Amino acid sequence: MQSTPSTMKGTLIRSFFSLWIVTLAWIIIQQVINVSASRNQRNEEKKILDELLCQETRDKKCVKDVYDRRIRPSGSANYSDSQNANMSDPDKDGPCVVTVNIMVRSISKISDLDMEYSTQLTFRQEWTDTRLSFTHHFNRTGIKAITLQEPERIWKPDIFFKNEKEGHIHEMILPNVFIRLGHEGSVLFSLRLSLVLSCMMNLKYYPLDKQECAIVMASYGYTESDIVFVWKEKGPVQVAPLHLPTFELDKNETGICTSKTATGTYSCIELKLTFRREFSFYLIQIYIPCIMLVIVSWVSFWLDPNAIPARVSLGVTTLLTMATQISGINATLPPVSYIKAIDVWTGVCLFFVFGALLEFALVNYASRSDAHRVARKKHEEHSCSPHTDHQYRQVEHVLGGQIEWDPPWQRKWESRLESKSNGFPFPNSDNTLTVRSSIMKPFQQQQQQSKGGIISTPIIDSKYHRIDAQNEKKPQWLDRWLRNFQSRSKRIDVLARITFPTMFSLFNLVYWLAYVRYSPEKNK
């Protein structure tokens, strides 16, 4: 009997449908088995916890504890061996070794004024407590670890942060505390903390500095014979990406800081965080504005000496602005006894601004002196005879003759300075006056009898000869250049235009070499 195509098609459909039914039934059976196993595992975990922590329960509450959290777990006698640090020796009891690792989640603020910083950490501790071992249950059920929701029921290390100012454990939405018990007795205790920690900063190179801030952890009551803290061998510190406004985390280092006190030796570990200050903020907010203020104060050198209101207002305004800038900088820094790099910068900038104001005072005084000298010359032109007598008296004074007192307006220091630098008028044979600088070398005529008559031999006085020799050494180009400016006030302004920028440029060169190139990597 031959099968038709329709019969074969129906057979395939029935076979496919039967296979689908069997597969679906197998999936349902597996799910039921998994749910049952899961329920059995939860029951096993409850049994394990009851066996480890509570001997008798009533109304779902423990009325008789098995585990005594007042007693620290037994430790390892050979705790210095890193491979066996967490292994307990039943024959020898040593200190409980607690392995620590930290994850730095964020650093929100670093305060120079209060010398503190705020950070958020995930703080983890691991140790071994043989009283919490359930290896026999692991061999039977395969349960490797159990999460404990009641951390107060077991013993925990009494670690504390030595440089803590404020701190709290996060409790939103539930307390961020986690305890995991391993089948071999290992305990992992993890919690999330927010801390405000003190950081003693050295601001000698501020704002071109690096600051080293630490997280110091130690046992509060247990001595080193009871508890020893060590860093985890692999990955003791994890740092999340940080975005600080004025600092950048340069590096982190772990260390040991075990301390001895009058009550014993206590185990201590520390994490050193090195922060490098971002200089671009201070360049824009402090250094460039100070440079601009100094340059603005130099504009006074190009103003007319008679523009008194403009030059005074410019000098006073820049001086007050510079003082306000310094006050704002000092308000953000603690009062320290040493000089900071920013103090050197602002102090020198203030000195240059103040020097520009003093330069105007000197220019104003020189301008008034020039006006008095011009008026005196006009007065002397109209009174030739008194003027001639006055010149003779000056010559007699230089040559060691008797001095006669002149009127006050003739005894000013600038008139004497001018007469000494330009030479005294000396009478010629025709009773005219000639200004000769050689009068600074007075001649003493010595008459000698000779056959031909009387010969006058000039004998040079050594004192005035030295003065004249010094004047001859004066550069000629400087004299020619200064003669281009008739008034002394103009000469002072021109010299200030050259001197102030040159000195400020030299200061910048020395400053940046000293504080950038030769500054130490660490300021402790």
Side-chain angles (χ1 to χ4, degrees), residues 272-341:
K272 296 180 181 179
L273 303 173
T274 303
F275 298 97
R276 180 173 55 85
R277 199 181 299 271
E278 291 287 353
F279 180 68
S280 58
F281 170 80
Y282 300 94
L283 179 64
I284 297 173
Q285 297 295 326
I286 296 178
Y287 284 88
I288 292 180
C290 289
I291 293 175
M292 295 174 64
L293 284 174
V294 173
I295 295 176
V296 167
S297 68
W298 297 344
V299 176
S300 174
F301 305 151
W302 276 266
L303 297 179
D304 188 83
N306 296 324
I308 297 177
R311 298 188 69 160
V312 170
S313 60
L314 182 62
V316 173
T317 302
T318 53
L319 184 63
L320 293 178
T321 305
M322 193 67 210
T324 304
Q325 181 85 345
I326 295 175
S327 299
I329 295 172
N330 293 333
T332 61
L333 297 174
V336 295
S337 59
Y338 48 83
I339 298 176
K340 305 180 289 292

Side-chain angles (χ1 to χ4, degrees), residues 441-485:
K441 299 186 297 179
F443 293 93
Q444 296 179 356
Q445 295 187 356
Q446 179 180 6
Q447 295 184 354
Q448 295 181 357
Q449 189 71 25
S450 65
K451 198 178 219 183
I454 299 177
I455 300 176
S456 297
T457 304
I459 301 176
I460 300 175
D461 185 87
S462 60
K463 173 182 177 181
Y464 296 103
H465 176 68
R466 289 194 300 267
I467 296 176
D468 187 67
Q470 292 177 1
N471 292 334
E472 290 177 355
K473 295 180 181 179
K474 188 175 182 180
Q476 298 297 327
W477 64 268
L478 184 60
D479 286 339
R480 290 194 300 269
W481 181 71
L482 289 176
R483 290 194 189 100
N484 295 329
F485 310 100

Side-chain angles (χ1 to χ4, degrees), residues 383-399:
S383 55
C384 179
S385 182
H387 175 75
T388 305
D389 294 339
H390 172 58
Q391 300 301 334
Y392 277 117
R393 287 197 299 270
Q394 286 183 329
V395 173
E396 291 177 357
H397 171 57
V398 174
L399 297 178

Side-chain angles (χ1 to χ4, degrees), residues 5-20:
S6 59
T7 304
M8 294 178 63
K9 184 177 180 180
T11 303
L12 291 174
I13 292 173
R14 286 192 297 271
S15 300
F16 178 76
F17 182 75
S18 300
L19 180 62
W20 184 81

